[in-house]
């Protein structure tokens, strides 16, 4: 049965982390709000009873409803048999996926440092200051952390030769940073060689290559999480 993915239809956002995993591992899913619209997503969220996800993305798998990107990926990976087969290692993969979620939140807070309910134009000054710290401290701290995780087993993926949900997510992180901070990422090229290796290896996972070349693959844009504003990428 097809899994329902519910996510905002206009942006790649956090939904893309779920899509990439499903596409790479050929998990059948229906992108509900892209087939319908954003109103359908809002209606669906409000109609749910019991313990509900706080925000999209979430999935519906028959009776099971799960929110939080990291948890969705862990659930699907476990269910479809794409984990390591060892509980401790699977938990470490989840740990990395939660690190990625933390980083994604920080990426968003660069262009929305004061409030996510305000427009970027209303918080540009704070965003400019925040971006300088983000580029100088936070990007290298996180990327070196992820690079070390890949290096532990020699790459190209975190588990070595076997790709997992962490690899498809790290790929999206690197693509997003290249889009949002092209000057910075160019200047820092070679600083995280294992991550760069992973970024080259993930698109070679065959079903994913087809998806990435298709029109279903959504471009980054200035309504999403990874946004390109020249002033935030000034060197
Ligand atoms: N920690 C959650 C964050 C979910 C989240 O912030 N979703 C955004 C879209 S990417 C949203 O719609 N947020 C609504 C809100 O925070 O009010 C995850 O990783 O899935």
């Amino acid at each position: 049965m097809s899994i329902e993915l519910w996510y905002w239809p206009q942006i790649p956002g956090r939904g893309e982390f779920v899509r990439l995993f499903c596409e790479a591992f050929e998990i059948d899913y229906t992108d509900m709000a892209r087939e319908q619209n954003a109103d359908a997503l809002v209606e669906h969220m409000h109609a749910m009873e019991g313990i509900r996800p706080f925000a999209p993305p979430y999935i519906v798998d028959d009776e099971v409803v799960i929110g939080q990107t990291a948890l969705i990926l862990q659930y699907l990976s476990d269910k479809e048999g794409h984990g390591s087969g060892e509980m401790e290692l699977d938990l470490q993969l989840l740990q990395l996926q939660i690190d990625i979620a933390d980083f994604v939140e920080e990426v968003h807070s660069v262009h929305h440092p004061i409030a996510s309910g305000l427009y970027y134009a209303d918080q540009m000054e704070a965003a400019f200051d925040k971006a300088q710290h983000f580029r100088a401290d936070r990007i290298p701290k996180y990327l070196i952390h992820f690079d070390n995780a890949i290096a532990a087993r020699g790459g190209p993926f975190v588990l070595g030769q076997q790709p997992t949900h962490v690899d498809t997510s790290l790929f999206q992180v690197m693509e997003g940073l290249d889009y949002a901070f092209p000057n910075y990422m160019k200047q820092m090229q070679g600083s995280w060689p294992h991550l760069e290796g992973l970024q080259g290896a993930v698109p070679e996972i065959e079903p994913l290559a087809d998806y990435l070349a298709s029109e279903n693959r959504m471009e980054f844009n200035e309504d999403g999480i990874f946004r390109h504003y020249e002033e935030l990428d000034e060197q």
Side-chain angles (χ1 to χ4, degrees):
M1 205 185 74
S2 185
I3 282 162
E4 292 181 7
L5 166 64
W6 287 93
Y7 191 68
W8 304 114
Q10 316 86 337
I11 57 169
R14 291 177 172 92
E16 193 66 13
F17 290 85
V18 180
R19 285 187 205 108
L20 284 173
F21 178 71
C22 289
E23 295 286 348
F25 292 94
E26 298 184 294
I27 297 168
D28 187 22
Y29 70 102
T30 307
D31 213 330
M32 301 300 285
R34 279 175 90 182
E35 294 214 344
Q36 301 174 32
N37 52 44
D39 289 344
L41 167 58
V42 174
E43 264 173 47
H44 187 265
M45 276 199 83
H46 289 155
M48 270 189 282
E49 288 172 1
I51 300 176
R52 307 190 305 190
F54 175 74
Y58 61 91
I59 57 163
V60 180
D61 180 17
D62 201 6
E63 298 286 299
V64 181
V65 180
I66 298 183
Q68 292 288 356
T69 311
L71 196 59
I72 295 169
L73 291 168
Q74 168 64 32
Y75 169 80
L76 291 176
S77 177
D78 206 28
K79 181 173 182 239
E80 303 286 334
H82 296 298
S84 68
E86 290 170 38
M87 190 180 77
E88 281 147 41
L89 206 46
D90 281 349
L91 287 174
Q92 286 179 326
L93 295 178
L94 178 59
Q95 174 189 306
L96 282 169
Q97 195 63 249
I98 296 171
D99 293 338
I100 293 169
D102 287 346
F103 182 61
V104 167
E105 184 56 41
E106 287 199 34
V107 170
H108 184 266
S109 76
V110 171
H111 48 78
H112 279 75
I114 296 177
S116 43
L118 292 175
Y119 288 111
Y120 169 64
D122 299 326
Q123 43 193 328
M124 278 176 78
E125 236 171 82
F128 185 77
D129 290 345
K130 177 114 188 186
Q132 298 197 36
H133 292 283
F134 187 67
R135 292 194 312 265
D137 304 327
R138 301 305 283 173
I139 300 183
K141 187 165 183 177
Y142 271 103
L143 294 198
I144 289 166
H145 169 65
F146 296 135
D147 198 69
N148 287 339
I150 305 165
R153 285 171 177 244
F157 305 118
V158 170
L159 291 187
Q161 294 300 317
Q162 180 197 342
T164 68
H165 60 87
V166 175
D167 303 297
T168 48
S169 292
L170 287 176
F171 166 75
Q172 182 68 358
V173 163
M174 292 299 282
E175 294 289 301
L177 290 174
D178 283 347
Y179 174 80
F181 303 101
N183 292 330
Y184 173 85
M185 290 301 277
K186 205 163 174 199
Q187 192 190 16
M188 296 301 284
Q189 209 165 11
S191 304
W192 19 78
H194 296 91
L195 264 176
E196 287 165 2
L198 177 147
Q199 192 180 6
V202 166
E204 286 174 16
I205 301 171
E206 222 169 85
L208 194 59
D210 294 342
Y211 168 71
L212 292 174
S214 78
E215 57 186 30
N216 285 336
R217 167 70 169 168
M218 220 185 283
E219 311 242 320
F220 293 104
N221 62 53
E222 278 52 62
D223 292 318
I225 294 168
F226 292 96
R227 302 185 186 188
H228 178 62
Y229 295 120
E230 253 171 49
E231 60 278 15
L232 303 188
D233 186 33
E234 268 174 16
Q235 298 299 309

